[in-house]
Amino acid sequence: MPSRIPHAFTQEIAETVCGRLAAGESLKSVCDYIFDEIIEIADTPQIGVKKVIKPDGSVETTEADMIEHRRLRIDARKWALARMSPRKYGDRQINDTNLKVVVPPEITEDMTPALSAPATS
């Protein structure tokens, strides 16, 4: 039974990516190409026809920008980019902070009386 969940893989995308990698392009340049394609999809409206069948059997037809279709195309490409280059295009932000605080001895000597004094409120 075929999956009803949409996914990003298509034979056309696979052939394009593999062909470009086989031609000697780096994975980074392929990812940048897909990133540029996302911007182009987002900036270019696509007019389509949407048909809705009402409960009474009549059909309502509207012609408008296919925003949902463009959003699906963009999300599929973002998903593929996140798998090809997760550090640059992934959703997860990694903050690796290793801080080492060094306090000079002269500062700690000046603060010793203040630290040992009882707190007043």
Side-chain angles (χ1 to χ4, degrees):
M1 177 176 209
S3 172
R4 294 179 185 248
I5 300 171
H7 52 82
F9 178 82
T10 65
Q11 193 62 35
E12 180 184 351
I13 292 174
E15 289 173 5
T16 300
V17 170
C18 291
R20 292 178 71 158
L21 291 173
E25 286 188 58
S26 69
L27 184 59
K28 180 186 181 311
S29 67
V30 174
C31 289
D32 288 344
Y33 166 77
I34 295 173
F35 181 79
D36 292 339
E37 193 176 44
I38 287 172
I39 299 300
E40 181 182 334
I41 292 168
D43 290 344
T44 308
Q46 292 177 317
I47 304 300
V49 177
K50 184 176 183 179
K51 294 181 181 181
V52 177
I53 300 174
K54 295 184 177 182
D56 64 358
S58 63
V59 178
E60 180 181 320
T61 304
T62 57
E63 188 174 315
D65 186 14
M66 299 188 310
I67 294 172
E68 297 89 5
H69 179 69
R70 290 193 296 148
R71 185 173 292 135
L72 177 64
R73 290 177 63 198
I74 289 169
D75 287 345
R77 283 157 178 79
K78 285 177 16 182
W79 181 88
L81 280 174
R83 298 315 174 272
M84 286 192 280
S85 185
R87 184 165 251 168
K88 184 173 182 180
Y89 298 109
D91 294 335
R92 201 171 119 210
Q93 296 291 323
I94 299 172
N95 295 325
D96 185 19
T97 307
N98 292 324
L99 295 177
K100 183 176 180 182
V101 178
V102 178
V103 180
E106 53 273 1
I107 292 178
T108 56
E109 290 172 4
D110 292 341
M111 292 178 63
T112 305
L115 293 174
S116 61
T120 58
S121 40

